Amino acid sequence: MEEKREGRLAQVRIYVGKLFRIFKNEKDWKTLAFAVIVSLLLAVVLKDSMMLKKESTRSGFFAIVSASIWIGIFNSIQSICRERQIIKREHRTGLHITSYVAAHVIYQGIICIIQALIMVLVYGFFMKLPSKGLVTGSFYVDIFITLFLILFAADMLGLAISSVVKSTTSAMTVMPFVLIIQLIFSGSIFPITGNAKILSDLTISKWGQRALCVESNMNEIPSEILQSELEMIEDIELVDDVLELLPDNVKENAYAGFEKFLHDYTYRKIYEYKDELVVRRWGYLLAFAAVYVLIAAISLKFIDKDKR
């Protein structure tokens, strides 16, 4: 039993080394270049609106999460299917599928760490981000962990897809549909109701965006809706005429009361500034990644019966 375990660990080391050689020799480093380019484009577009207005910040995080999911899936969606015949042959000569999958998890995890670091550096350079973090004490560390978990969960989703489909062409055909599901059912474009909530709860996008919104203290960011409503009321002459008849303290309380009403209207409990909400959503993302890894391992266990 001990020799078997050592054999598995040795295979993990061998395949991790192989993956990094492929990274170097077959220009898989382009996945890092994609992270740089996409982050730069988003940063340039979002730098004037992020953290300043509630609605634009929420939309900005949705764009960041969507891009992270795309990058994560792209990392791995062709990694297994492109060498399916090699895996089948090596499995028959002693390759442990768990070792092979574990090597991919380690390798892809390292790639995701680098990509998340790139994103944080780019966003931090172009955007005015807060310094105080809710969970770790540093906003940059908090957002790094969230982005890494989004990338990693999406990466493992790509790995699962790559283990199931029969070719790289099929993988790239499936990829847009997976992304569309992540975007539509995130709950960011329009409200999700009824049975669709079940599918929404299974998306990386939903929990990734909610974690980022909580970390940014979304509920306390000024609202564009609130500001426009207040300005509209101030422009109504009849309201001014009525308020002028009131004592100053009553007038101030009236405006303050209405402002509080609109604030409460835009306040969302799911974005409460509580560290347990962030940690819980990190847990969901890790759980997604674990399930996708399990799917990949189970799928490849039956590779010898695959007639493709």
Side-chain angles (χ1 to χ4, degrees), residues 30 54 109 138 150 200 266 301 305:
K30 61 188 176 184
K54 183 176 297 184
S138 169
I150 294 169
S200 177
T266 60
K301 277 288 185 181
K305 298 180 180 180

Side-chain angles (χ1 to χ4, degrees), residues 51-90:
M51 314 304 295
L52 298 177
K53 294 295 182 181
K54 183 176 297 184
E55 292 78 12
S56 55
T57 300
R58 184 169 178 265
S59 299
F61 280 138
F62 173 66
I64 289 172
V65 169
S66 300
S68 300
I69 292 174
W70 179 82
I71 292 170
I73 294 177
F74 187 81
N75 284 346
S76 60
I77 197 159
Q78 298 185 76
S79 59
I80 293 179
C81 56
R82 70 185 176 186
E83 55 180 18
R84 196 171 188 88
Q85 294 304 318
I86 298 174
I87 300 169
K88 191 182 296 186
R89 184 172 61 251
E90 293 187 358

Side-chain angles (χ1 to χ4, degrees), residues 236-250:
I236 300 176
E237 295 182 1
L238 179 61
V239 174
D240 287 336
D241 293 340
V242 172
L243 290 176
E244 285 299 327
L245 300 176
L246 300 175
D248 290 341
N249 62 328
V250 176

Side-chain angles (χ1 to χ4, degrees), residues 28-35 68-80 82 104 107-113 115-116 119 151-152 154-156 158-159 162 175:
D28 278 2
W29 49 263
K30 61 188 176 184
T31 56
L32 302 183
F34 284 149
S68 300
I69 292 174
W70 179 82
I71 292 170
I73 294 177
F74 187 81
N75 284 346
S76 60
I77 197 159
Q78 298 185 76
S79 59
I80 293 179
R82 70 185 176 186
H104 273 281
Y107 167 75
Q108 297 293 348
I110 294 172
I111 295 298
C112 290
I113 288 174
Q115 289 173 330
M119 290 179 174
L151 286 163
F152 187 64
D155 197 313
M156 295 302 100
L159 198 71
S162 188
M175 183 175 176

Side-chain angles (χ1 to χ4, degrees), residues 6-174:
E6 291 177 355
R8 290 178 186 272
L9 291 175
Q11 288 183 2
V12 172
R13 291 193 294 270
I14 291 169
Y15 275 93
V16 168
K18 174 187 173 182
L19 290 169
F20 276 105
R21 287 193 298 274
I22 292 174
F23 175 84
K24 178 182 178 181
N25 298 329
E26 297 189 14
K27 299 181 179 180
D28 278 2
W29 49 263
K30 61 188 176 184
T31 56
L32 302 183
F34 284 149
V36 174
I37 294 170
V38 173
S39 299
L40 281 172
L41 291 174
L42 284 174
V44 170
V45 172
L46 299 174
K47 65 178 182 178
D48 295 327
S49 59
M50 288 296 289
M51 314 304 295
L52 298 177
K53 294 295 182 181
K54 183 176 297 184
E55 292 78 12
S56 55
T57 300
R58 184 169 178 265
S59 299
F61 280 138
F62 173 66
I64 289 172
V65 169
S66 300
S68 300
I69 292 174
W70 179 82
I71 292 170
I73 294 177
F74 187 81
N75 284 346
S76 60
I77 197 159
Q78 298 185 76
S79 59
I80 293 179
C81 56
R82 70 185 176 186
E83 55 180 18
R84 196 171 188 88
Q85 294 304 318
I86 298 174
I87 300 169
K88 191 182 296 186
R89 184 172 61 251
E90 293 187 358
H91 184 236
R92 290 167 180 165
T93 59
L95 168 65
H96 295 290
I97 293 299
T98 51
S99 299
Y100 178 80
V101 173
H104 273 281
V105 172
I106 293 170
Y107 167 75
Q108 297 293 348
I110 294 172
I111 295 298
C112 290
I113 288 174
I114 298 172
Q115 289 173 330
L117 182 60
I118 290 171
M119 290 179 174
V120 172
L121 292 174
V122 172
Y123 296 145
F125 181 80
F126 284 93
M127 301 176 187
K128 188 176 181 180
L129 301 177
S131 57
K132 181 182 178 182
L134 178 60
V135 180
T136 66
S138 169
F139 182 81
Y140 288 91
V141 176
D142 286 357
I143 196 174
F144 167 78
I145 295 172
T146 302
L147 290 175
F148 163 70
L149 291 175
I150 294 169
L151 286 163
F152 187 64
D155 197 313
M156 295 302 100
L157 174 58
L159 198 71
I161 294 171
S162 188
S163 70
V164 173
V165 299
K166 61 182 180 181
S167 66
T168 55
T169 302
S170 298
M172 298 310 292
T173 301
V174 170

Side-chain angles (χ1 to χ4, degrees), residues 247-303:
D248 290 341
N249 62 328
V250 176
K251 187 192 307 181
E252 292 174 1
N253 290 336
Y255 274 115
F258 185 72
E259 186 170 353
K260 182 179 184 303
F261 167 77
L262 290 178
H263 175 271
D264 293 343
Y265 178 76
T266 60
Y267 184 92
R268 303 188 67 184
K269 191 173 182 180
I270 58 173
Y271 298 148
E272 283 188 284
Y273 196 59
K274 294 182 178 179
D275 56 358
E276 61 263 29
L277 290 181
V278 175
V279 173
R280 188 186 307 162
R281 280 142 196 182
W282 287 351
Y284 294 156
L285 295 173
L286 275 175
F288 288 152
V291 170
Y292 299 144
V293 170
L294 185 61
I295 291 172
I298 293 174
S299 175
L300 291 177
K301 277 288 185 181
F302 300 97
I303 196 168

